[in-house]
Amino acid sequence: MINKVERLVSIGKYRNYNAVGQVNFKKLTLIYGDNGGGKTTLTSVFRSLTTNNPEIIKSRISTNHTTAQAAQITQIATPQNVFYTFGSGGWSAQLPDIEIFDIHFVNDNIYSGFDFSDDHRKQLHQFVVGAQGVAIQNQIEQNKNAKTASKQKQATIEAQLIKQVGNNLTSDLITSFLAIPTTQATNIDQLVTAAEAALANASANAIIQTLQPLSNLVRITTGIDFTSLIADLQATSQTIQNTALESLFSQHCQDLSDNTLIEPENWLQKGFAYVESKQAANEPNISCPFCKQSIDSNSDILNAYASKFNADFNALIQRLQTHLLSLQNFNLEAAIQALNNINQTNTERITSWATHLPNTVQSPVFNIIANEVDLRTEFQNLIASVQQKIQNPTAAVATTTVTTFQNSGQTINCNIDSYNQNVLTYNAAITVFRFSIQTVATAQLQVDRLKRIKKRFETPIDTLCNQLTTERQTLRGLETKYTQLSQQQQAAATAFFNTYQTQINHYLGNVFKTHFRIENVVHVAPRGRATQSQIGYKLTIDGKDISFVPNQPFNAKECLSEGDKSTIALAFFLSKLDVDPNKQDKILIFDDPLSSLDTNRRTYTIGIIKSLFSQLKQVVVLSHNEFFLHEVGKDIGINQKCTLRITENFVAKASKIEVCDLDELVKIDYFKHIERLEAFRTSPDINLKDSVLGWLRNVLEAHLRFKFYKEIRSMTGQQTFGRLISFLNAFPATFRDNTNRDDIISKLNLINGVSWKSHHGDPNPDYTTLGMNPNTITVSELDNLIQDTLNLIEMRL
């Protein structure tokens, strides 16, 4: 149990405090102090002591301090008290089992402003679990630290691997790098070479896309009708004659046949041969060999024959001219040049493609014209044959020149077709190749991957890989152990938190009479890199969930007042005490627990603290509300409680702890002023006349308000002492000595008039008419006024 705060130096407003007098703590210690006087600082000293955290005190170093911080607190113990001393090195020892409820507990564990964060839940978990969960939590933290160390070691090895292997090895690829089988290193040099070639193509893709495919050769089209030409070269006068006769016979044979002459063709041929023979012999008179009739040379049939012969001959001449024109129009040199030009273009394109296409792609071979000189000769010979025929149309000309050139042309076109087929195959290979070109990034990835495979089995790299594999196995073992520890913690916490939830709702519902409830109170194990567990819970109002997310319906900001939040925080705190198995060993410190609480909840809190008094080792309550402290201390024996006060020297800006009489502090002015009036009668001092007149006025005014509270309900305007007297006289109010009503009113008016100056400043009454002047009043007159006042409140009013 805390015995005394012996010393506080350079801590907040405790600039150089040393305990003086009976400022020892007892089982119930009530400490009164104004806001800003040092209550929170004193609570922070206790928090620093119980958590052994010197930074809490260091952060509260006094302004303009000249002395090093120091503190000393004594604890009642057997066989002798224990001294806890604070200096530059912190506390000499830690005092455990102090539980503190103050604004810092609320801000750290429950909420800050309107924020109910994960950090609050973590701190609350640590507070609730307390010593019960320390052992397993320490193991979990040790496990976490070991895992962190293992991960750091792995990170170091990985960094070495990344640096030494290079080729864009990253942390994400480390696992697959470790797992590379030795079989993948077979022929790795050849694979790297191929991949680098693919990368070169990818890098040159922009240029490759500009390269043109090969062009097809155009088949040679002479425009020459070789069949007709051959026939025309072979034509003679006989063939022309036969053609004419065939045409003529075809017309007359039909007539003879229609008139029942059998085999008219034989008749015509024999007759025409006979006539022709006679004409050739220049015989003057020629007759038909069958009917002996005279045949005129101008006969229709002979004229028809002559006309037909001439027409066919002329047609032959015309066709020969056409053949010659076709030959002359065909530009053999242009055709040869066109083939050579395309060959030249394709040769240049093949040269460009050769650096990119695979070696398996065969380029087409240009072997179209066996001998251009011979071809030109053949063509000239053909032209000569036609010209010869034109010169002597009726004589047949050899057709060898035609068939020779025709065959050459056909051979050339076959070669063109074959060449074009090879071009088609080559261009198809170009298309496939273009589609097979990877992006630079993809090709680079493949090169890097193969080079990493090559590096994987080099001795230094292999050693690092084995070290990393071993460390990963160690980490897996730690993770397995962590899972087991978390399960143990979860099992222990689940049962504990179920009880905790029940207690919280007991306080919220049964004690503080709120509509709030806590649900789903659970242990939440640390996740990721976190090492600290947190408490999970859901807050409801009338069964509806309250959201901790701003701007959501039914969010904490809209649903919870400051009083509600303070009540919830107090319920969390008290519930932890209730479920703590070491409750009887606890020292409880309350620093202003009434923040934002209404009258009912203040009353409930007083009852709770009085109940805890008998269950705990010690209870210390600090507050700026003297009436609250007085109520807490009621019915507690003087041997078990002490009342202290933190007072501030405003000149020195320094605070100290001293003894305080709470009973005197909580007396209302009515009773204080009566006691002072009675004290004046036994020890009069004319220098107190203004104070005495003010006390008289205040006592009577308060008495009238209390005594006649029903009557003055209907009073309008300001309820000053003078107006109260006038109102009660006119009402009229019934006094206990109502028969002497006028005397009562007269005495009241006298005291009102004579006390006006002391109460309101400049006097308005006519002191001559009043019969008493406060400026010249005597001690005897004051005593008479006191007696009249006491008589009025005790007997007459």
Side-chain angles (χ1 to χ4, degrees):
M1 191 163 68
I2 298 171
N3 177 50
K4 188 189 296 185
V5 178
E6 299 281 358
R7 189 180 183 212
L8 297 172
V9 180
S10 297
I11 304 174
K13 290 187 177 180
Y14 299 98
R15 296 184 180 276
N16 190 21
Y17 167 73
N18 289 280
V20 177
Q22 295 298 317
V23 290
N24 300 65
F25 285 26
K26 293 186 178 180
K27 183 174 175 63
L28 175 63
T29 300
L30 306 172
I31 303 177
Y32 170 76
D34 293 328
N35 288 331
K39 298 191 304 300
T40 301
T41 299
L42 183 58
T43 303
S44 295
V45 171
F46 288 126
R47 176 174 280 107
S48 173
L49 175 60
T50 194
T51 59
N52 197 23
N53 182 0
E55 295 302 321
I56 296 176
I57 290 180
K58 291 178 180 179
S59 67
R60 287 184 171 270
I61 190 165
S62 301
T63 58
N64 302 317
H65 66 284
T66 58
T67 307
Q69 285 186 312
Q72 189 174 68
I73 296 173
T74 58
Q75 179 189 19
I76 298 175
T78 303
Q80 60 184 9
N81 289 351
V82 178
F83 289 83
Y84 297 89
T85 304
F86 179 87
S88 59
W91 289 100
S92 59
Q94 181 181 5
L95 177 56
D97 293 327
I98 298 178
E99 300 292 353
I100 301 173
F101 181 82
D102 63 353
I103 189 61
H104 293 290
F105 169 82
V106 175
N107 287 337
D108 292 343
N109 298 280
I110 311 299
Y111 68 90
S112 297
F114 295 105
D115 185 19
F116 293 72
S117 69
D118 284 347
D119 287 338
H120 292 127
R121 296 170 187 265
K122 290 176 183 178
Q123 295 290 342
L124 181 61
H125 184 280
Q126 188 172 9
F127 165 73
V128 172
V129 172
Q132 289 181 318
V134 168
I136 190 168
Q137 183 63 35
N138 286 342
Q139 293 183 58
I140 289 176
E141 291 186 7
Q142 290 172 4
N143 180 278
K144 281 268 188 177
N145 292 335
K147 288 193 293 185
T148 299
S150 177
K151 290 176 181 177
Q152 289 174 345
K153 186 174 181 180
Q154 290 183 46
T156 300
I157 298 174
E158 288 181 5
Q160 292 176 329
L161 281 173
I162 290 171
K163 181 178 180 180
Q164 295 183 32
V165 173
N167 295 300
N168 290 317
L169 178 63
T170 63
S171 297
D172 294 337
L173 299 174
I174 290 292
T175 299
S176 59
F177 182 75
L178 295 177
I180 294 175
T182 55
T183 54
Q184 288 192 12
T186 303
N187 298 324
I188 191 63
D189 290 331
Q190 294 89 326
L191 294 174
V192 169
T193 300
E196 288 176 336
L199 176 60
N201 287 334
S203 301
N205 190 31
I207 296 174
I208 291 174
Q209 297 304 324
T210 64
L211 299 181
Q212 298 296 315
L214 302 188
S215 299
N216 285 325
L217 297 176
V218 179
R219 289 170 60 91
I220 293 178
T221 304
T222 62
I224 301 170
D225 186 350
F226 287 101
T227 303
S228 174
L229 177 58
I230 291 173
D232 289 341
L233 289 179
Q234 291 177 335
T236 62
S237 58
Q238 184 60 46
T239 60
I240 296 172
Q241 176 180 300
N242 291 340
T243 300
L245 287 175
E246 286 176 2
S247 176
L248 182 64
F249 288 171
S250 64
Q251 297 174 11
H252 289 277
C253 283
Q254 185 63 41
D255 179 65
L256 293 174
S257 176
D258 290 343
N259 290 285
T260 68
L261 185 65
I262 299 172
E263 295 181 350
E265 293 86 353
N266 291 332
W267 283 88
L268 287 174
Q269 288 177 351
K270 291 178 180 179
F272 193 81
Y274 172 80
V275 171
E276 189 179 42
S277 176
K278 289 292 188 178
Q279 286 178 338
N282 293 318
E283 292 185 11
N285 296 315
I286 303 173
S287 59
C288 174
F290 303 110
C291 66
K292 301 302 184 177
Q293 290 185 13
S294 175
I295 297 174
D296 187 353
S297 59
N298 293 321
S299 66
D300 290 339
I301 191 170
L302 292 179
N303 288 335
Y305 165 73
S307 175
K308 179 60 178 173
F309 180 87
N310 291 335
D312 288 345
F313 182 80
N314 290 334
L316 174 61
I317 296 300
Q318 184 61 44
R319 285 196 303 276
L320 290 172
Q321 292 295 340
T322 300
H323 290 316
L324 181 60
L325 181 61
S326 295
L327 290 172
Q328 291 172 343
N329 288 338
F330 172 60
N331 192 337
L332 178 61
E333 289 302 321
I336 293 173
Q337 187 61 46
L339 293 175
N340 289 334
N341 288 344
I342 292 175
N343 176 50
Q344 179 63 34
T345 299
N346 284 351
T347 299
E348 293 172 356
R349 292 176 180 178
I350 289 171
T351 301
S352 299
W353 281 111
T355 58
H356 304 293
L357 291 175
N359 295 331
T360 56
V361 178
Q362 296 295 320
S363 58
V365 178
F366 184 82
N367 188 15
I368 307 303
I369 301 174
N371 191 311
E372 293 182 8
V373 174
D374 291 346
L375 182 62
R376 292 187 182 94
T377 301
E378 292 173 2
F379 184 60
Q380 293 302 320
N381 291 338
L382 176 57
I383 293 175
S385 296
V386 174
Q387 290 174 337
Q388 178 185 349
K389 179 64 175 178
I390 291 174
Q391 292 175 356
N392 188 7
T394 58
V397 174
T399 61
T400 305
T401 58
V402 179
T403 55
T404 299
F405 185 74
Q406 182 183 21
N407 291 337
S408 295
Q410 291 173 346
T411 300
I412 290 171
N413 282 337
C414 286
N415 291 340
I416 289 174
D417 292 341
S418 177
Y419 179 87
N420 286 346
Q421 185 60 45
N422 291 335
V423 166
L424 180 64
T425 302
Y426 192 86
N427 287 344
I430 290 175
T431 301
V432 172
F433 171 71
R434 276 178 167 164
F435 279 109
S436 70
I437 296 176
Q438 302 170 340
T439 63
V440 173
T442 301
Q444 185 65 60
L445 287 175
Q446 179 67 352
V447 170
D448 291 341
R449 186 183 71 84
L450 292 171
K451 287 185 176 180
R452 290 195 297 269
I453 293 173
K454 183 177 180 180
K455 295 284 290 183
R456 169 62 179 85
F457 299 101
E458 294 178 0
T459 300
I461 303 301
D462 193 46
T463 300
L464 287 174
C465 289
N466 292 335
Q467 292 175 357
L468 182 57
T469 300
T470 300
E471 196 57 44
R472 286 188 170 187
Q473 291 172 348
T474 300
L475 181 59
R476 283 194 291 272
L478 289 170
E479 289 173 340
T480 301
K481 182 63 176 177
Y482 176 80
T483 301
Q484 296 171 352
L485 290 171
S486 296
Q487 290 172 347
Q488 293 174 19
Q489 187 183 53
Q490 180 69 43
T494 298
F496 182 78
F497 283 143
N498 286 339
T499 304
Y500 185 52
Q501 175 177 322
T502 301
Q503 282 302 111
I504 293 173
N505 287 327
H506 163 70
Y507 281 106
L508 291 176
N510 301 333
V511 177
F512 293 116
K513 315 297 183 185
T514 74
H515 297 289
F516 301 105
R517 295 295 182 272
I518 293 292
E519 297 180 6
N520 303 337
V521 178
V522 294
H523 161 81
V524 180
R527 299 183 178 92
R529 296 183 178 179
T531 60
Q532 192 172 347
S533 301
Q534 60 177 282
I535 186 171
Y537 63 88
K538 181 172 67 174
L539 183 63
T540 66
I541 179 171
D542 294 329
K544 187 171 183 62
D545 291 356
I546 294 177
S547 173
F548 296 123
V549 179
N551 302 322
Q552 293 295 315
F554 289 95
N555 63 75
K557 181 177 180 180
E558 302 298 334
C559 294
L560 301 179
S561 67
E562 287 300 318
D564 292 332
K565 290 185 286 184
S566 296
T567 301
I568 293 169
L570 186 55
F572 273 103
F573 180 85
L574 295 172
S575 298
K576 189 267 181 180
L577 289 179
D578 287 346
V579 298
D580 194 325
N582 300 314
K583 183 177 182 179
Q584 70 281 357
D585 298 324
K586 296 293 183 180
I587 298 172
L588 174 61
I589 297 178
F590 274 118
D591 181 10
D592 267 336
L594 299 183
S595 176
S596 303
L597 297 185
D598 57 26
T599 302
N600 289 332
R601 292 178 184 175
R602 292 183 184 187
T603 302
Y604 302 147
T605 303
I606 292 170
I608 291 168
I609 295 175
K610 294 171 77 72
S611 173
L612 290 172
F613 169 75
S614 61
Q615 304 174 45
L616 304 175
K617 178 183 288 187
Q618 187 177 27
V619 176
V620 179
V621 184
L622 302 93
S623 178
H624 66 280
N625 189 323
E626 64 271 33
F627 298 100
F628 167 71
L629 291 174
H630 187 264
E631 288 297 319
V632 171
K634 271 186 178 181
D635 305 323
I636 305 296
I638 193 65
N639 293 330
Q640 290 188 299
K641 74 174 179 180
C642 72
T643 56
L644 304 175
R645 180 170 186 169
I646 299 173
T647 59
E648 182 179 357
N649 183 329
F650 292 100
V651 175
K653 297 181 180 179
S655 295
K656 62 181 179 179
I657 303 171
E658 59 186 11
V659 176
C660 174
D661 185 353
L662 268 182
D663 292 333
E664 178 66 25
L665 198 61
V666 298
K667 284 182 181 178
I668 62 175
D669 289 343
Y670 178 80
F671 294 111
K672 288 180 181 178
H673 293 165
I674 290 176
E675 290 177 354
R676 290 170 184 172
L677 291 172
E678 292 173 339
F680 181 85
R681 295 196 68 205
T682 59
S683 300
D685 183 354
I686 193 62
N687 293 320
L688 296 175
K689 66 174 183 176
D690 288 340
S691 296
V692 170
L693 291 174
W695 296 337
L696 291 172
R697 185 182 188 90
N698 290 341
V699 166
L700 285 170
E701 185 176 341
H703 190 83
L704 291 178
R705 291 178 186 277
F706 177 75
K707 177 70 176 179
F708 300 104
Y709 74 94
K710 289 184 179 179
E711 287 82 350
I712 64 177
R713 285 176 180 173
S714 60
M715 183 178 175
T716 59
Q718 291 184 332
Q719 295 181 359
T720 62
F721 185 32
R723 295 190 78 244
L724 282 172
I725 296 170
S726 300
F727 178 80
L728 293 173
N729 186 37
F731 188 74
T734 302
F735 304 136
R736 280 186 288 179
D737 187 12
N738 207 44
T739 57
N740 295 306
R741 179 183 188 86
D742 292 341
D743 183 61
I744 293 173
I745 296 298
S746 176
K747 289 184 180 299
L748 289 173
N749 283 328
L750 173 61
I751 295 172
N752 175 51
V754 77
S755 66
W756 181 276
K757 178 181 178 180
S758 64
H759 193 74
H760 291 288
D762 294 334
N764 286 326
D766 181 355
Y767 294 128
T768 301
T769 304
L770 190 63
M772 187 177 293
N773 189 330
N775 298 313
T776 60
I777 196 167
T778 65
V779 169
S780 177
E781 288 175 324
L782 283 173
D783 185 63
N784 289 335
L785 291 176
I786 292 173
Q787 291 185 61
D788 287 343
T789 297
L790 296 177
N791 186 42
L792 284 170
I793 65 175
E794 292 174 5
M795 304 294 294
R796 304 187 69 185
L797 289 173

